[in-house]
Amino acid sequence: MKCSKCGGTAVINMRQHRLRLCGRHFLEWFTAMTQRTIEKYKMFIPEDKVLVAVSGGKDSLALWDVLLQLGYQAEGMYIGLGIDEEIGYSNKSLEMCNKFVEEHHPDALLHVVDVGAEYGQSIPQLARTTQRGRGRPCAVCGLVKRHIMNSVARDGGFTAIATGHNLDDEVAVLMQNTLRWQSGYLARQAPVLEERDGLARKAKPFVRIYEREAAAFVLLRGIDYIYDECPFARGSTTNYYKELLNQLELNSPGTKQQFYLQFLRARDSGQVTFARPRESELHPCVRCGQPTTAGELCAFCRLWE
Amino acid sequence: MKCSKCGGTAVINMRQHRLRLCGRHFLEWFTAMTQRTIEKYKMFIPEDKVLVAVSGGKDSLALWDVLLQLGYQAEGMYIGLGIDEEIGYSNKSLEMCNKFVEEHHPDALLHVVDVGAEYGQSIPQLARTTQRGRGRPCAVCGLVKRHIMNSVARDGGFTAIATGHNLDDEVAVLMQNTLRWQSGYLARQAPVLEERDGLARKAKPFVRIYEREAAAFVLLRGIDYIYDECPFARGSTTNYYKELLNQLELNSPGTKQQFYLQFLRARDSGQVTFARPRESELHPCVRCGQPTTAGELCAFCRLWE
């Protein structure tokens, strides 16, 4: 298999792009693709202060690495969830983030918020004491992470939050929403969510990157990461749809990319329209000050009542 | 497994309806479901003269049987495609239609049009002499069948054409169109297509019936049918999506039904809107008189040039 650019030995075949690349040209391509995505969807500019949500996994570390290489003002934020589950998940993932900084970007800034130390309960503890999420901590975890991201971004003067969601993540969510024709979710799913009522803009610069490409990227860059996925995500619906979509992709390369990008195009051009639920009025939570549609306390602050 | 209605031995478990039924109650349910679908989507009324497209397969024979049982004026139409492929496909399928009439509805009328005898070339022959369909006769076959159905309906004074498309058929097409967000197709896919410019209304009374339910119905009714599918349909994209959707259904019963019915509901209620391509002007073909958007000759008549 030969590199489409230089004829050298290719390390990856991206059938959806009809492109085979050697290590050097793949790294170039990956970085350029991320930059093109940032520009195309107007995610942020070099003047923005960007907070990158890092988990210690391949996608978020690859994202932080690329953003720093591209010269963005990108600081990392790690949220300690306190998940052990006999594999020391959270400890290991923080280690990977620290190792990444030391080995690759010693000048980079990593903000660490430990949920247990900061608020008194880890995610698994909190999940046991609240009603949310039918026995799984995922709903609580999402809520807590969003709150902390928004609050670190606000306090640190960040104008954008970047997350490592890749095309596989986005397309699995899209499939889930489409199978139920959930117009509200389908109206909102996007590569970038604009700033609203003081909540920082949220961007996903990897929406055109397949998961396997992020894996190849960190391998070639020598970035170590946590291989385990979160123990609570095992057997999740999202993972089920990912497998299904990989089957489709295998049968017809480019299916995932086409499904997602054509969705964005059809919606942007008005070929397909999804009704948006009326946006609720937001007001600041009396305790934390973050905008909320709930009563006096936002959903996050109510968790700790 | 007990019948949800009478406590007798159930023969089928329809998990999407949370319903297990014995033979007698399943046959009752199946007929009532078809009648409800006909009414819900305003497909036809007892005063309509309905032409049922029968292929000798389980779905179309089940449909004809149910429509006759429900007292509709339903005549059958069989189109001889001249497909042999070493299994005598077309001959056997005509036999099954004749056998159905003899054994179940001796007074029913079956119109038979043999493509080869009527127009000089069978479908496989025609497919070899035209450009359409990239080596597969399926595109030509669809075009020819639509033309003949319309013309038999027009000449016989039928006000509606009914086909045996079941929920599995519809949902496979829906998946295919959705994965590409083909708004034109998504705008038009429907249980009933209204009469337009002299083309009879087309209705699919089985859109809420799973394929396995149609199979159970013919088995319980003692209707013999052709088990082989059309040899040219093997390995088709539609079949691929059917398998995929069956996987989804197995993982989460009701997925197929929800995907399809929620699509119809979301579109009817305006939650989701698909842009319709502007309808082209129709004029009568100078040879056959059927409405066409093409030049002087319609696509069917051009096949034989």
Side-chain angles (χ1 to χ4, degrees):
Chain A
M1 194 169 75
K2 285 187 175 174
C3 174
S4 314
K5 297 240 160 126
C6 69
T9 306
V11 297
I12 192 164
N13 182 4
M14 298 183 287
R15 296 181 68 185
Q16 81 279 20
H17 299 301
R18 297 171 195 274
L19 199 61
R20 296 156 179 204
L21 295 174
C22 68
R24 187 168 72 82
H25 283 118
F26 172 71
L27 289 174
E28 262 180 42
W29 173 89
F30 190 95
T31 310
M33 174 57 111
T34 308
Q35 175 61 16
R36 278 206 303 278
T37 305
I38 292 167
E39 288 170 9
K40 181 176 171 68
Y41 299 106
K42 298 186 174 59
M43 293 183 166
F44 39 77
I45 53 175
E47 289 68 33
D48 274 305
K49 224 182 129 185
V50 181
L51 185 64
V52 186
V54 289
S55 66
K58 64 183 182 328
D59 302 296
S60 56
L61 292 181
L63 177 61
W64 196 10
D65 183 58
V66 173
L67 294 185
L68 290 170
Q69 283 191 60
L70 286 166
Y72 287 104
Q73 305 177 50
E75 298 180 14
M77 168 186 44
Y78 173 85
I79 301 176
L81 306 167
I83 295 172
D84 187 82
E85 295 294 304
E86 297 172 9
I87 59 169
Y89 178 73
S90 284
N91 288 343
K92 258 199 267 174
S93 55
L94 175 56
E95 251 170 56
M96 290 300 171
C97 295
N98 284 324
K99 191 175 170 196
F100 169 80
V101 172
E102 277 163 38
E103 293 182 359
H104 295 274
H105 300 278
D107 297 336
L109 270 176
L110 177 65
H111 305 262
V112 177
V113 177
D114 188 89
V115 177
E118 192 83 13
Y119 299 96
Q121 284 191 88
S122 70
I123 293 292
Q125 289 168 335
L126 187 57
R128 280 193 291 275
T129 60
T130 63
Q131 304 288 328
R132 281 181 173 255
R134 288 169 288 173
R136 279 198 139 164
C138 305
V140 168
C141 187
L143 171 62
V144 168
K145 286 192 293 193
R146 274 192 302 279
H147 178 90
I148 295 177
M149 280 199 289
N150 287 328
S151 111
V152 173
R154 182 189 59 186
D155 299 346
F158 291 90
T159 42
I161 294 170
T163 57
H165 294 96
N166 56 40
L167 194 139
D168 292 67
D169 297 321
E170 292 301 300
V171 87
V173 170
L174 178 59
M175 179 58 87
Q176 228 171 319
N177 292 337
T178 304
L179 282 172
R180 295 179 186 79
W181 295 100
Q182 293 179 300
S183 58
Y185 291 149
L186 290 165
R188 277 192 304 255
Q189 187 179 353
V192 61
L193 289 178
E194 278 312 313
E195 182 273 339
R196 187 186 164 209
D197 295 282
L199 295 178
R201 195 183 325 138
K202 300 206 173 65
K204 304 168 187 168
F206 280 176
V207 286
R208 294 198 286 179
I209 299 281
Y210 277 21
E211 184 177 332
R212 62 191 284 268
E213 292 153 17
F217 179 84
V218 289
L219 189 79
L220 290 164
R221 284 279 294 152
I223 296 170
D224 203 5
Y225 64 95
I226 180 158
Y227 303 115
D228 301 300
E229 66 172 346
C230 174
F232 294 115
R234 282 178 209 146
S236 69
T237 315
T238 308
N239 280 350
Y240 176 76
Y241 286 115
K242 281 185 182 176
E243 280 170 38
L244 192 92
L245 285 153
N246 282 336
Q247 266 186 56
L248 275 164
E249 183 76 17
L250 204 64
N251 181 265
S252 172
T255 300
K256 289 192 291 197
Q257 173 176 276
Q258 191 186 30
F259 182 43
Y260 181 65
L261 295 181
Q262 185 54 27
F263 160 74
L264 297 181
R265 267 184 238 120
R267 196 177 56 182
D268 289 350
S269 67
Q271 287 293 100
V272 181
T273 317
F274 303 103
R276 259 173 202 277
R278 202 189 308 173
E279 299 219 324
S280 321
E281 287 287 316
L282 290 173
H283 55 264
C285 166
V286 296
R287 183 166 307 158
C288 71
Q290 276 196 26
T292 177
T293 57
E296 297 206 325
L297 290 182
C298 70
F300 174 83
C301 288
R302 270 183 291 129
L303 274 183
W304 312 91
E305 286 294 288
Chain B
M1 193 169 76
K2 284 189 177 172
C3 174
S4 314
K5 297 243 160 126
C6 68
T9 307
V11 295
I12 192 164
N13 183 3
M14 297 182 288
R15 296 181 66 184
Q16 82 278 20
H17 299 301
R18 296 171 196 271
L19 199 61
R20 296 156 179 205
L21 295 175
C22 67
R24 187 167 74 83
H25 284 118
F26 172 70
L27 289 175
E28 262 181 40
W29 174 88
F30 190 95
T31 309
M33 175 57 110
T34 308
Q35 174 61 16
R36 279 206 302 278
T37 306
I38 292 168
E39 287 169 10
K40 182 177 170 67
Y41 298 107
K42 300 187 174 55
M43 293 183 167
F44 38 79
I45 53 174
E47 289 68 34
D48 274 305
K49 225 183 125 184
V50 181
L51 185 64
V52 186
V54 289
S55 66
K58 63 182 181 326
D59 302 296
S60 56
L61 292 182
L63 177 60
W64 196 10
D65 184 58
V66 174
L67 293 186
L68 289 172
Q69 283 190 60
L70 286 167
Y72 288 104
Q73 305 176 49
E75 298 179 16
M77 169 186 42
Y78 174 83
I79 301 176
L81 306 166
I83 295 172
D84 186 84
E85 295 293 304
E86 296 171 10
I87 58 167
Y89 179 72
S90 285
N91 288 343
K92 257 199 265 174
S93 55
L94 176 55
E95 251 170 58
M96 289 301 173
C97 295
N98 284 324
K99 191 175 170 194
F100 169 79
V101 173
E102 277 163 39
E103 292 182 359
H104 295 274
H105 300 279
D107 295 336
L109 270 177
L110 177 64
H111 305 263
V112 176
V113 177
D114 189 88
V115 177
E118 191 84 12
Y119 300 97
Q121 283 192 86
S122 70
I123 292 293
Q125 289 169 335
L126 187 57
R128 280 193 292 273
T129 61
T130 63
Q131 304 288 326
R132 280 181 174 254
R134 289 170 286 174
R136 276 199 141 164
C138 305
V140 168
C141 187
L143 172 61
V144 168
K145 286 193 292 194
R146 275 193 301 279
H147 178 88
I148 295 177
M149 279 198 291
N150 286 328
S151 113
V152 172
R154 182 189 60 184
D155 299 346
F158 292 92
T159 41
I161 295 171
T163 57
H165 293 96
N166 56 41
L167 194 139
D168 292 68
D169 297 321
E170 292 301 301
V171 86
V173 170
L174 178 60
M175 179 58 89
Q176 227 172 319
N177 292 337
T178 305
L179 282 171
R180 296 179 185 79
W181 295 98
Q182 293 178 300
S183 57
Y185 292 149
L186 290 165
R188 275 191 306 253
Q189 187 180 352
V192 61
L193 289 179
E194 277 313 312
E195 182 275 339
R196 190 188 162 208
D197 294 283
L199 295 178
R201 196 185 322 139
K202 299 206 175 60
K204 303 168 187 167
F206 279 176
V207 287
R208 294 198 286 179
I209 299 282
Y210 277 20
E211 184 177 330
R212 63 190 282 269
E213 292 152 18
F217 179 83
V218 289
L219 189 78
L220 290 164
R221 284 280 293 152
I223 295 170
D224 204 4
Y225 64 95
I226 181 159
Y227 303 116
D228 301 299
E229 65 173 346
C230 174
F232 294 114
R234 283 178 207 143
S236 69
T237 315
T238 309
N239 280 351
Y240 175 78
Y241 286 116
K242 281 185 182 176
E243 279 171 36
L244 192 94
L245 285 153
N246 281 337
Q247 267 186 57
L248 276 164
E249 182 76 19
L250 203 66
N251 182 266
S252 172
T255 300
K256 291 192 290 194
Q257 173 177 277
Q258 191 185 30
F259 182 42
Y260 181 66
L261 295 181
Q262 186 54 27
F263 160 73
L264 296 181
R265 267 184 236 121
R267 195 178 58 182
D268 289 350
S269 67
Q271 288 292 103
V272 180
T273 316
F274 302 103
R276 257 172 203 279
R278 201 190 309 171
E279 300 220 326
S280 320
E281 286 287 316
L282 291 174
H283 55 263
C285 167
V286 295
R287 183 167 305 161
C288 72
Q290 277 196 25
T292 178
T293 58
E296 296 206 324
L297 290 183
C298 71
F300 175 81
C301 289
R302 270 185 290 129
L303 276 183
W304 310 92
E305 286 293 288

